[in-house]
Amino acid sequence: MTQPFRTHDTGRIHRDQPLRFTFDGRTLTGFAGDTLASALLANDVHLVGRSFKYHRPRGILAAGSEEPNALVTIDRGGGRITPNLRATQVELYDGLRATSQNRFPSLSFDLGAAAGWAAPLLSAGFYYKTFMWPPSFWARLYEPAIRAAAGLGRAPTEADPDRYLHQYAHCDVLVIGAGPAGLAAALGAMATGARVILCDEQAEFGGSLLAEPAATIDQWPAAAWVVEAVSTLATSVTLLPRTTAFGWYPDNLIGLVERVTDHLADPNPHAPRERLWQVRARHVIIATGAIERPLVFPHNDRPGIMLSGSARTWLHRYGVRLGARSVVATNDDSAYLTALDLHHAGVAIAGIVDTRPDPTEDLVEAARSAGISVHPGQTIARTEGRMRVHSAILSGGTQVIPCDSVLMSGGWTPSVHLFSQSRGKLRFDPATGVFLPGESAAQEVSVGACAGVFDLSVCLSDGYAAGGGGVRHFAVDGIPTLAPSLVAAPGTPHPKAFVDFQNDITTADLALATREGFRSIEHVKRYTTTGMATDQGKTSNLNALATVAGLLGATMPEIGLTTFRPPYTPVTFGSLAGASRGALFDPVRCAPMHDWAMARGAVFEDVGTWKRARFFPLGREDMHAAVARECLAVRRSAGLFDASTLGKIEVVGPDAGIFLDRLYTGTFSRLAVGRCRYGVLLGEDGFIRDDGVIGRLAEDRFHVTTTTGGAASVLHHMEDYLQTEFFDLQVWLTSTTEHFGVIAIQGPRSATILAGLVEGIALSDMPPMSVQSCRILGLPARLFRVSFTGADGFEINVPAGDAQTVWDAVMAAGERYGITPYGTEAMHVLRAEAGFIIVGQETDGTVIPDDLGLGWTIGKAKPDFVGKRSLTRPDMVRDGRPQLVGLLTKDPALVLEEGAQIVTLTDGAGPSLGHVTSSYHSAILGRSIALALVADGRARIGGSAFVPMPDGVVEVAVVRPKFLEAGAEANTGAPPAIGSVSAAAAGRPRLAEATPRTMSREATPAVAADHDGSDVPNVGTSRPPVRSAEPRPSMKLSGFPASPDVHATALAPTSRLIVRASNAAATAIGASIGVMLGSVPCRGIVSRDRAALWLGPDEWLVLAPEAEFSLLEQAIAAAGDIPASVVDVSDRNHSIEITGSRAAWCLNTFCALDLDPTAFPIGMCTRTLLGKAEIVLWRLGAETFHIEVARSFAPYVWDCLAEAAREFGS
Amino acid sequence: MLLIPCPWCGKRPENEFHHAGQAHIARPEDPSATTDEAWADFLYIRTNTKGRLAERWRHQHGCGRFFNAIRDSVTDRIAATYKPNEPPPA
Ligand SMILES: [Zn+2]
């Protein structure tokens, strides 16, 4: 007979929907509505696991998430393996496959159970005491052995193929727990018109009411009342079943995990498996109920020994009897209800063993009149039975009661976990002997059993009032009100009297800890590990506390509770990661010529979040060959380089020059219009932060370049000083990094190649370090004559959307000269040959200009600039500072390792003088070159030093940090003279195309391997998926899921201006360009076909149709003499429109803002974050949003929204 | 994630903000006139207050403004925020 312990008619399971499942390979059946635990019990399967340490046979203790024993692994196939799931929370579906854990070879015959015989060895502190010596044994012997013997389920080894999403939500009232108090609270909150979210960890709302068949509320049977309440709530409340509130974070941010598909046999592949909600609630109502405590007696852990209240739940909710003959052991009235209910269901109750000498008379009477014997003042001395309890021996040891189950109740512990996490203070209630919520620290209130209220009527009215619904009386019948009982006094410490079932901690362990001198409960906890398992001691904490208090002769409040920390129940890594994995782990930013480089076969490297072309191999060239060819092309003719990732900041205003004087080491206020100067940016501490070329476009307008990595931080640094120090300056900053595509053409033929393309100016009028506005192919361009290679060269800045067109034209014009595209690797070699530093490579945050020989950049006449004072601090002027030098190996073929140490002793020993900062093979020089920071390096030039390398110590000559003479790129191709420089001026860095390299040289093979191995499927390993092993095209704003609920569109190109000005100036500018620049924060104003979005108190983004003629000039003219900044940023952004009933939802999958129309009305706009990308979000309609996003982040934003929309696909 | 009231934009989630150190550390009017010790103090010495302190934040991914906040380093509660050139609230 299947399901022999299923009742005939009780329970809320669907008997017309039988389900087949397997447990350890054995096929069983259950019903829809079962949990795995209830289905196992219906089949009389009680042995479900082996304990953590002693491998003792264990059964199911509880019916809810507090279950410590019944941990199983569920395998859904295809790598979908989840270990350590509580069988009590696993909903049954057809075909479910579950296996037990921590046993070998099988549950009933477990070799590890030998640990039980060795139990005296495994007492508290066992690991600390036993495995101390020798240390080398830890890694080789102890740890592997312990890991094999003790433990939980095994982590899956394959990548998890499921999808996970996050969701941000906001509400007025979040109700946690949908038992009677929580349902009433939600009803009360709903009555006020508030935005309400109600969540419960169980599949079905109702909590304890689902197991109270006799109870009525307002004349309704309790279960029917629940159905009515839920259907009422469903009209306006967000209902989240299967959703655990696991953590409380500051400012009422609550973490919830919703298990979306785990209960389904055939889930929608487009739905996430789990959704991690981050709910910002004005007010939280905690209605998390109470958890029953076990009784602590010897051998209280055998299969068949369970909590009494859970037994009622199994009976009434799941239609399961726990055995044929049960002993009830209690110190609490509630167990009498269990005994009577089971008795009526046909279970023989072999006796009620009540530790209390004077149990409640009515209940004793009721039991006895049902023919149940009651043993007051008695306890269970021990139990017998191997794989299942078969008898209980009462105190005194003479009376043996045969049984197949023991149902115990040690009273009820309010679930104060979340309240405690909210930093509320717990108070000890002497009347009930438990800790209850005391003084609040957050906007929350606890109602119902978690607040120590066990009277159903009071739970309901308290809940309703807490929700804001006011006074309401609920008429309750059919459920007795029971007095709570104190925590049972612990018996004599016994090595098999378990307190913490999951971590196998007994009263003897706790006694040992106190004997060894531990007094603080926090120390006892850590020494014994009680309460530290995945169940966080839900069933054990109070018993452990009572035991320790008894042993130390102290009261429970004197001992105090240990701290509750998130998560309440374990949270999967998948949920925590959400969509941030694979392609969406980080934005992948692509430069304007990315697709061209891809088509050309470039190998890319990660530079921050950018993908940059590292080199362009031809045929079978390796990196070395390709880089050598690219470098020689630049030295002998011309090379082309995508330098678009360089940071660019437009500095505008009457005080722009003075501002740059104060920020950079050099003097810019006297720089002539049309000229450029190299700038070094220091922190106030004097250390180099960034560098770059700065060009003066007009009296009041500078084009500042930064390193690729410094683009955001330099702007931040500048804004800091402008906003908080230099209140006297009229200057505004605008990032143009992504507006311009930057094409660097370098090499002796550069001017020849460009001459035919440039309109409006003559290149012969452009000296080195100059800048001119011109047109190229009719497009507006800023042309810089600058070099980061030591050769002649230009950098063409054109709108990013047109950069590829210009690149193609330059390639075509240079074809007859053998123009060669080069990547970042060649760029690094070329600049090192010329002795140019790279911030982040030659600097490490402790380097000052003089260390690098950049003292010449300092404007000596300037009284002050940021960092100047620090340059005269004693440590900055001392002897022995690191100084930049060149190193040449004796063997020209040997390339030093970057980071290698430099010493004076031939054997490689002795103190380090410094380290190699850059090291390459130089093709033009036919040998290796290296830059290094060496103590007193300049004094060592002409001498030698030693570099320990893996294969031995290498002698190097210390030389000036410049390897290539100016003009040495003569067309002969003969290696020029090296190693000394006479004219310092010749060595001036011109353009610091400075890309702090995030990848070490050692990483090269990995990149190459990933590239070469991109067709090898990444399966069957535990490695996370390699990000973008295969570079993907830069723009992919397509492939949005077709859905009736949400739709995204990439909008056509648009004219964009950033206006930065005072409100008065903005008014004048707005009037001339036909759209008001409003002063109300976070509002966008539309006028005909134009819009002005408020981004900050002096910053507006103006949008206009692309064909708009000279919008920029109009605005600049309007500004006239009014100090203001107007900058064209048309190509900086892409625009995306997202519409539909789920548009706000999809945004909230990645954006933490409250998008309810009351909080984010039509017309509101703001910068914010969408995942890891900054966007401007602007609401155009109830269901329509406009997104502005920097062009390199656009694919990431698009893909995020598509990921969020997938579950709504049609 | 804290909820931080930007003086311009209102309450926003913490991830839009950038912490920028202790507030009200005035840059000396004439750095060249400060002693080495005074300058080192200006650069590096902070109060590391336990309790109520004034600190700088920037609404980096919002209006871009720097502002000051009074935060309790024990409870993490922000009592007030105010603009950079304003005195701290009592
Ligand atoms: Zn703001």
Side-chain angles (χ1 to χ4, degrees):
Chain A
M1 178 190 161
T2 57
Q3 307 187 41
F5 283 80
R6 190 70 77 176
T7 62
H8 290 296
D9 50 1
T10 61
R12 307 177 57 76
I13 37 143
H14 304 283
R15 291 166 194 265
D16 54 341
Q17 294 175 49
L19 305 173
R20 289 159 64 87
F21 69 102
T22 67
F23 179 64
D24 282 347
R26 182 180 160 201
T27 301
L28 299 165
T29 58
F31 293 120
D34 261 327
T35 63
L36 173 60
S38 66
L40 287 169
L41 293 171
N43 286 282
D44 202 26
V45 176
H46 281 250
L47 174 65
V48 294
R50 288 277 177 167
S51 73
F52 181 68
K53 204 156 70 177
Y54 305 129
H55 289 244
R56 286 172 67 91
R58 287 282 167 81
I60 297 162
L61 180 74
S65 66
E66 71 271 30
E67 171 60 32
N69 292 333
L71 302 185
V72 296
T73 297
I74 303 292
D75 184 353
R76 297 184 72 107
R80 294 175 170 82
I81 298 171
T82 314
N84 304 334
L85 288 173
R86 292 156 298 282
T88 52
Q89 284 195 296
V90 174
E91 290 176 60
L92 205 64
Y93 56 84
D94 203 48
L96 179 142
R97 280 185 293 161
T99 49
S100 58
Q101 302 180 164
N102 201 31
R103 82 294 192 265
F104 178 82
S106 74
L107 254 188
S108 50
F109 179 74
D110 176 20
L111 288 175
W117 308 332
L121 286 176
L122 293 170
S123 58
F126 161 70
Y127 298 125
Y128 306 126
K129 294 167 186 163
T130 310
F131 298 119
M132 289 180 64
W133 200 261
S136 62
F137 275 32
W138 254 114
R140 284 190 285 126
L141 191 64
Y142 298 151
E143 192 177 317
I146 292 167
R147 283 192 188 281
L152 301 165
R154 302 214 174 278
T157 53
E158 291 177 42
D160 185 345
D162 279 321
R163 299 172 58 244
Y164 299 82
L165 289 177
H166 290 181
Q167 191 68 21
Y168 293 96
H170 293 74
C171 64
D172 298 312
V173 181
L174 169 66
V175 182
I176 300 168
L183 285 172
L187 288 169
M190 181 185 167
T192 67
R195 279 198 283 166
V196 183
I197 296 175
L198 172 63
C199 69
D200 192 283
E201 66 180 356
Q202 300 199 33
E204 195 177 2
F205 284 180
S208 62
L209 296 178
L210 301 177
E212 294 288 357
T216 63
I217 299 170
D218 293 343
Q219 324 287 317
W220 294 69
W225 183 87
V226 170
V227 171
E228 184 65 18
V230 171
S231 72
T232 302
L233 292 169
T235 57
S236 74
V237 171
T238 302
L239 301 177
L240 298 176
R242 303 184 178 90
T243 303
T244 303
F246 66 84
W248 192 298
Y249 302 93
D251 290 327
N252 274 30
L253 185 73
I254 317 298
L256 317 176
V257 168
E258 178 188 5
R259 293 172 293 281
V260 182
T261 62
D262 267 1
H263 62 292
L264 301 172
D266 191 15
N268 169 8
H270 299 301
R273 178 188 172 212
E274 293 177 349
R275 196 189 314 277
L276 189 148
W277 292 76
Q278 294 177 69
V279 178
R280 186 79 71 175
R282 277 183 215 283
H283 195 72
V284 179
I285 297 175
I286 306 172
T288 48
I291 292 171
E292 196 169 23
R293 294 185 293 274
L295 285 173
V296 182
F297 52 83
H299 301 280
N300 60 343
D301 66 327
R302 298 189 195 282
I305 303 178
M306 321 182 78
L307 291 171
S308 132
S310 298
R312 280 191 87 218
T313 299
W314 297 127
L315 176 67
H316 293 312
R317 186 164 167 191
Y318 297 100
V320 172
R321 284 177 284 114
L322 291 179
R325 186 177 163 85
S326 301
V327 170
V328 173
T330 187
N331 78 327
D332 187 70
D333 286 352
S334 63
Y336 286 79
L337 302 185
T338 305
L340 290 165
D341 287 0
L342 287 176
H343 170 78
H344 292 310
V347 179
I349 303 299
I352 298 176
V353 184
D354 196 324
T355 60
R356 299 170 298 181
D358 303 307
T360 312
E361 261 174 46
D362 299 355
L363 294 169
V364 174
E365 196 49 46
R368 284 183 174 150
S369 59
I372 301 170
S373 61
V374 179
H375 309 268
Q378 291 256 48
T379 57
I380 293 182
R382 67 174 197 281
T383 65
E384 296 284 357
R386 239 170 60 74
M387 297 304 164
R388 176 85 178 260
V389 63
H390 66 55
S391 56
I393 294 92
L394 300 197
S395 45
T398 53
Q399 195 171 355
V400 178
I401 309 179
C403 60
D404 62 5
S405 47
V406 174
L407 310 177
M408 56 183 172
S409 177
W412 296 78
T413 305
S415 290
V416 294
H417 306 69
L418 286 172
F419 171 79
S420 179
Q421 283 184 30
S422 79
R423 299 192 184 192
K425 284 203 174 69
L426 294 169
R427 65 178 176 86
F428 185 74
D429 181 35
T432 53
V434 293
F435 289 88
L436 294 176
E439 190 187 328
S440 285
Q443 295 298 313
E444 54 70 39
V445 64
S446 296
V447 294
C450 70
V453 175
F454 290 92
D455 180 308
L456 178 58
S457 175
V458 180
C459 285
L460 291 163
S461 54
D462 279 3
Y464 195 79
V471 178
R472 178 168 163 189
H473 174 69
F474 293 82
V476 168
D477 203 1
I479 181 166
T481 297
L482 304 176
S485 58
L486 300 173
V487 179
T492 314
H494 188 281
K496 293 290 178 283
F498 286 88
V499 174
D500 181 331
F501 290 78
Q502 198 173 101
N503 262 358
D504 268 356
I505 309 303
T506 67
T507 50
D509 292 323
L510 297 173
L512 180 64
T514 58
R515 236 179 14 252
E516 293 189 353
F518 292 96
R519 291 293 177 270
S520 156
I521 192 68
E522 295 283 359
H523 292 162
V524 171
K525 168 182 165 178
R526 281 159 183 78
Y527 189 59
T528 62
T529 73
T530 187
M532 288 173 69
T534 67
D535 67 344
Q536 299 234 335
K538 288 184 181 58
T539 56
S540 67
N541 279 342
L542 228 55
N543 281 336
L545 175 55
T547 304
V548 172
L551 289 163
L552 294 176
T555 64
M556 285 172 53
E558 280 169 354
I559 300 293
L561 266 186
T562 54
T563 312
F564 293 96
R565 293 193 178 85
Y568 177 71
T569 48
V571 178
T572 61
F573 283 112
S575 268
L576 295 173
S580 294
R581 53 188 283 193
L584 296 183
F585 176 71
D586 243 354
V588 176
R589 306 173 69 190
C590 297
M593 270 65 76
H594 181 91
D595 293 356
W596 184 92
M598 255 187 79
R600 183 87 177 194
V603 173
F604 290 84
E605 69 170 333
D606 290 336
V607 180
T609 49
W610 287 100
K611 289 273 175 223
R612 300 197 70 182
R614 190 173 191 189
F615 57 96
F616 294 82
L618 290 180
R620 291 163 171 262
E621 273 183 340
D622 61 6
M623 183 171 96
H624 181 84
V627 170
R629 176 181 47 76
E630 291 168 16
C631 288
L632 287 174
V634 172
R635 293 287 172 223
R636 291 169 180 167
S637 180
L640 208 56
F641 178 69
D642 184 350
S644 305
T645 62
L646 277 182
K648 294 169 277 290
I649 301 167
E650 197 119 319
V651 178
V652 181
D655 299 320
I658 296 168
F659 173 67
L660 293 174
D661 286 353
R662 293 191 195 175
L663 262 291
Y664 282 82
T665 58
T667 307
F668 292 87
S669 52
R670 295 203 299 273
L671 186 67
V673 172
R675 299 308 300 266
C676 302
R677 178 164 290 161
Y678 172 67
V680 176
L681 186 77
L682 308 183
E684 200 69 272
D685 53 19
F687 298 128
I688 295 176
R689 289 289 195 279
D690 202 80
D691 68 351
V693 164
I694 299 172
R696 189 165 207 164
L697 304 170
E699 272 303 315
D700 63 348
R701 187 173 292 252
F702 289 82
H703 177 116
V704 173
T705 62
T706 76
T707 61
T708 294
S713 60
V714 171
L715 187 60
H716 178 78
H717 176 86
M718 288 181 170
E719 283 285 354
D720 191 350
Y721 278 91
L722 261 187
Q723 292 183 31
T724 68
E725 286 290 343
F726 304 150
F727 293 109
D728 56 322
L729 299 185
Q730 289 192 305
V731 183
W732 293 273
L733 311 172
T734 303
S735 170
T736 53
T737 300
E738 299 231 30
H739 171 65
F740 290 112
V742 182
I743 300 164
I745 177 169
Q746 300 277 303
R749 302 280 190 211
S750 299
T752 312
I753 293 167
L754 272 191
L757 293 171
V758 175
E759 306 153 29
I761 55 166
L763 295 184
S764 54
D765 293 342
M766 288 188 72
M769 297 300 275
S770 66
V771 55
Q772 291 291 331
S773 292
C774 64
R775 287 193 175 265
I776 296 177
L777 307 179
L779 299 162
R782 283 179 190 169
L783 185 63
F784 289 77
R785 189 164 200 160
V786 290
S787 166
F788 191 46
T789 60
D792 188 17
F794 296 84
E795 291 189 357
I796 307 162
N797 285 248
V798 288
D802 298 316
Q804 185 61 56
T805 309
V806 175
W807 175 280
D808 291 342
V810 179
M811 280 298 291
E815 193 179 357
R816 55 188 287 226
Y817 301 102
I819 193 168
T820 301
Y822 66 97
T824 51
E825 195 64 29
M827 178 270 285
H828 279 263
V829 177
L830 293 164
R831 65 88 201 177
E833 288 170 350
F836 297 159
I837 64 115
I838 283 188
V839 171
Q841 187 136 0
E842 271 65 55
T843 72
D844 61 3
T846 66
V847 173
I848 59 173
D850 185 61
D851 297 343
L852 299 183
L854 294 176
W856 61 268
T857 67
I858 295 170
K860 298 289 185 298
K862 292 201 296 180
D864 187 24
F865 56 84
V866 172
K868 178 182 170 75
R869 174 64 184 82
S870 290
L871 298 180
T872 56
R873 294 186 61 221
D875 192 56
M876 308 300 181
V877 295
R878 67 173 165 85
D879 291 338
R881 280 202 65 86
Q883 291 173 337
L884 188 71
V885 295
L887 300 181
L888 293 173
T889 52
K890 293 261 189 236
D891 172 5
L894 185 87
V895 179
L896 295 172
E897 286 196 352
E898 286 179 358
Q901 299 297 305
I902 294 151
V903 297
T904 50
L905 301 179
T906 54
D907 63 356
S912 170
L913 296 176
H915 67 280
V916 176
T917 58
S918 297
S919 180
Y920 312 97
H921 177 81
S922 164
I924 190 77
L925 300 171
R927 60 154 303 129
S928 68
I929 56 172
L931 294 170
L933 280 169
V934 176
D936 289 325
R938 287 197 282 272
R940 296 176 193 274
I941 289 172
S944 65
F946 299 88
V947 179
M949 293 271 288
D951 297 330
V953 179
V954 176
E955 183 176 2
V956 293
V958 181
V959 300
R960 289 185 185 280
K962 177 174 170 57
F963 302 97
L964 204 60
E965 288 292 357
E969 61 278 7
N971 298 330
T972 62
I978 58 168
S980 69
V981 174
S982 48
R988 284 191 177 189
R990 292 188 179 122
L991 170 64
E993 203 302 9
T995 313
R997 300 202 315 164
T998 55
M999 294 188 64
S1000 68
R1001 298 177 72 77
E1002 286 71 22
T1004 307
V1007 170
D1010 287 343
H1011 184 71
D1012 296 336
S1014 58
D1015 56 342
V1016 179
N1018 182 32
V1019 294
T1021 75
S1022 58
R1023 282 200 310 147
V1026 175
R1027 178 157 67 100
S1028 294
E1030 185 157 6
R1032 59 177 209 173
S1034 59
M1035 287 303 301
K1036 192 181 67 92
L1037 303 193
S1038 62
F1040 203 83
S1043 163
D1045 304 318
V1046 58
H1047 181 66
T1049 316
L1051 300 180
T1054 301
S1055 287
R1056 297 179 181 85
L1057 298 182
I1058 289 287
V1059 177
R1060 300 205 64 172
S1062 66
N1063 277 325
T1067 303
I1069 294 169
S1072 87
I1073 59 174
V1075 59
M1076 197 172 126
L1077 307 184
S1079 59
V1080 179
C1082 303
R1083 285 294 179 278
I1085 295 177
V1086 179
S1087 179
R1088 297 194 319 279
D1089 57 357
R1090 298 168 188 203
L1093 310 187
W1094 185 100
L1095 297 184
D1098 63 355
E1099 183 177 8
W1100 293 263
L1101 172 63
V1102 177
L1103 304 173
E1106 195 193 22
E1108 191 56 54
F1109 66 96
S1110 63
L1111 185 68
L1112 176 69
E1113 279 112 47
Q1114 236 180 319
I1116 291 177
D1121 292 334
I1122 316 167
S1125 162
V1126 182
V1127 177
D1128 178 18
V1129 293
S1130 296
D1131 282 27
R1132 191 171 85 172
N1133 291 356
H1134 280 293
S1135 305
I1136 297 170
E1137 189 170 272
I1138 180 165
T1139 60
S1141 60
R1142 288 288 185 177
W1145 169 283
C1146 290
L1147 288 164
N1148 272 142
T1149 303
F1150 291 92
C1151 174
L1153 294 184
D1154 185 356
L1155 298 181
D1156 187 84
T1158 57
F1160 202 103
I1162 294 169
M1164 181 164 169
C1165 65
T1166 181
R1167 260 192 293 249
T1168 184
L1169 287 174
L1170 191 141
K1172 294 174 182 170
E1174 183 179 284
I1175 62 167
V1176 174
L1177 184 64
W1178 179 28
R1179 185 174 217 144
L1180 291 173
E1183 297 183 350
T1184 304
F1185 294 86
H1186 177 110
I1187 296 167
E1188 288 284 316
V1189 55
R1191 60 189 301 129
S1192 71
F1193 285 98
Y1196 168 82
V1197 165
W1198 179 272
D1199 291 350
C1200 282
L1201 294 172
E1203 177 72 1
R1206 191 172 300 176
E1207 65 184 297
F1208 307 113
S1210 50
Chain B
M1 185 155 62
L2 294 174
L3 211 50
I4 299 175
C6 170
W8 287 271
C9 307
K11 284 188 176 180
R12 291 297 185 87
E14 182 183 345
N15 64 352
E16 290 184 0
F17 295 85
H18 191 285
H19 186 259
Q22 188 178 331
H24 305 298
I25 297 173
R27 189 173 191 269
E29 278 294 310
D30 181 3
S32 67
T34 56
T35 63
D36 284 336
E37 291 71 25
W39 186 252
D41 280 0
F42 162 70
L43 286 179
Y44 298 119
I45 303 302
R46 301 294 180 264
T47 59
N48 195 23
T49 306
K50 180 180 181 182
R52 189 182 154 98
L53 75 155
E55 58 191 10
R56 291 158 18 99
W57 287 81
R58 183 181 181 212
H59 195 188
Q60 178 106 329
H61 302 294
C63 64
R65 292 280 112 183
F66 281 84
F67 61 91
N68 296 324
I70 302 293
R71 186 175 64 94
D72 189 307
S73 62
V74 177
T75 64
D76 227 11
R77 298 275 169 243
I78 291 177
T81 55
Y82 53 101
K83 296 177 182 178
N85 47 358
E86 293 173 352

